[in-house]
Amino acid sequence: MDYFKKLAGLLTIEQAEDRRIYEDLAQHSSVTQRRAAGLTWYPVAIRDVELGHGDYLTVEVERTTHPDIAHQLRFGAPAALFSNHDPHTDRLPGTITFQGGNKLKITLLIDELPDWARNGKLGIDLLFDDNSYTEMFGALKRAGALAEKAEEGRLIRVLTGQQPASFQLETVPAAAEGPGIRESSAVTGRWGATKAGEPGANLNPSQQAAVDKILAANDLAIVHGPPGTGKTTTLVQAIKALVRRDGERVLVVAPSNTAVDLLSERLADEGLNVLRIGNPVRVSERLQSITLDNRMAQHGSVKEVKKLKKKAGEFRDMAHKYKRNFGKAERDQRKALFDEARSIMKEVERLEQYVLDDVLAKAQVVTATLVGASHYTVRHLQYRTVVIDEAGQALEPACWIPVLKAQRLILAGDHCQLPPTVKSEEAAKAGLTTTLMEKNVRQHPDAVVLLEEQYRMHETIMSYAGGAFYDNRLRAHPSVAAHKLFAGDSPLSFIDTAGCGYEEKQEGAGLSNPEEASFLLKHVTRLTTELSAHYSPADFPSIAIISPYRLQVQVLRELLPHSTALQPYLHRISINTIDSFQGQERDIVYIGMTRSNTDSKIGFLAEVRRMNVAMTRARKKLVVIGDSSTLSQSAFYAGFIAYAEKKAAYQSAWEFVED
């Protein structure tokens, strides 16, 4: 199909750019720079070594310094163990099979460690992830081939707009219902998720409509969940109802580990048997207990597995004693010992496969990232229903990996927030940032339910984004519609820096505005002083300070320690980019727009979905600081400034200039 050939072409461009960026960083940076960029753990210490599948060694390491540096080393990622004595020669490629805290396990394609692993300082380098691209290319190729087949290609044809989505309209006999499922209406074709009084019965009308749509879908349903509308709650109830009704496993995936963790935990809290493939980023006892590794470790047959592994290890240790003896008898003895270890490991593999099959058979919900859905332990599984959460931020080629395992697909997310990150500007402009969800919202409007009631923001904060992105269909729940920091406080403020001389500064590829940053922190100081009359430092409102530009974030972070009056509240203040705050919320949000120039250029602020994310992080107060003369060249920002004026929320920065 031309559809998938075009996608594969865009993915090829993205892969080349991704590789170029990686290689440039890897080849032209020191180990210290790579560590700071999150690509390297160094130094590390080996804590354990064991023989695993296929006679491959699994090495457990722990980073012994710099434990707080953020990193990108994750379960399933390709990586290399290296010695800093000669890092280009002394290195072994492998795959990360566990990562938690400051420990990880890497499986290496060898059966014993080389001598250099015992000399010098060791580290772990993240390698370029060809595996993810291989999985995506493979999925696109299979999808193109299956699309022409009558039954197997039905969902593919729906998702590519070749045939309509369909829904069940007839009443299902009560005998076919699972616990907690109401009989559908023969008139409307809708399904109820729960009986009155059961968990989930308090869904609001649009949430219930979304659950109904999911249960009625033959092939596709879409839950459009704007910020604060309870998308996760809705999905959890729908998945619970699907499991009970169909009695089959459901696959639940998302583009990020964080999103997978959240759903996994919520589903487990509902009493479902959840199996998390991969290692969770959110370290909690609840999440650790539902991982595949933990479930297998708790299985009744694992004692025998451990006993056999110990026995195989003893034979390997005996074999190593002959390593430096080169007589024929010694070589034969060494070979015999290794053969015996391998024979025992084959029995281990047979037992482990039995344990794996048993664990999978009991799972009601399997959760993973998009690429993690093809992990070797679950690659063979097919599902009646696949759910993709955060589908508005999911790269389309990655979505086809789990889609090909489904008869029915549920997409949930918000395509009016930030699209997926694409590193190639060429691929982005050609359409790689357009998601499968966005395409299907346009192609199949009948499959879409918009969640209309939000539980986060004061209605004044909500209303501008609600009109610009959601056709004024959003409404604030009474519990949040009028909540404020204190009586008489304004929930919205636009502070205009036009004419103040706060000019943006270009530094390499970065943009900053030091004067605006300084003004913003002074305004935060002013607000915290006012709030201190209403709150103690312990229960002080949370504050996010957001900028679209990384360099401006750096400037703000450098200035913050010098704001003496803010020191008691540092534990409540977060500073980061808009992209980093997606999915989060705070009581108070400050947005420093940064851009201020005589040419009225706003750069990537023109991607107004980025501002939708920023504006909708705030619960009780939103303060936007920017230059109206620069911003108002965009209809979106001009509209926001006019909205602020209408709400008596417009102020000039000159009003705050000290006498």
Side-chain angles (χ1 to χ4, degrees), residues 222-247:
I222 302 172
V223 180
H224 183 185
T229 54
K231 171 178 63 67
T232 300
T233 297
T234 305
L235 272 187
V236 166
Q237 292 305 319
I239 293 164
K240 185 178 178 183
L242 284 168
V243 168
R244 288 183 169 184
R245 187 190 71 180
D246 297 343

Side-chain angles (χ1 to χ4, degrees), residues 237-260:
Q237 292 305 319
I239 293 164
K240 185 178 178 183
L242 284 168
V243 168
R244 288 183 169 184
R245 187 190 71 180
D246 297 343
E248 297 180 10
R249 273 190 304 260
V250 174
L251 174 63
V252 179
V253 293
S256 72
N257 275 292
T258 303
V260 176

Side-chain angles (χ1 to χ4, degrees), residues 163-183:
Q163 67 183 65
S166 64
F167 301 88
Q168 300 177 39
L169 295 177
E170 73 279 3
T171 302
V172 167
E177 298 171 14
I181 309 301
R182 289 200 305 267
E183 188 175 310

Side-chain angles (χ1 to χ4, degrees), residues 31-42 63 65-74 99 101-102:
V31 67
T32 303
Q33 291 169 322
R34 295 199 309 278
R35 181 174 61 199
L39 299 178
T40 297
W41 278 15
Y42 179 82
R63 56 176 173 175
T65 64
H66 305 88
D68 299 325
I69 294 180
H71 63 89
Q72 301 173 43
L73 281 71
R74 296 284 181 264
Q99 191 277 308
N102 289 307

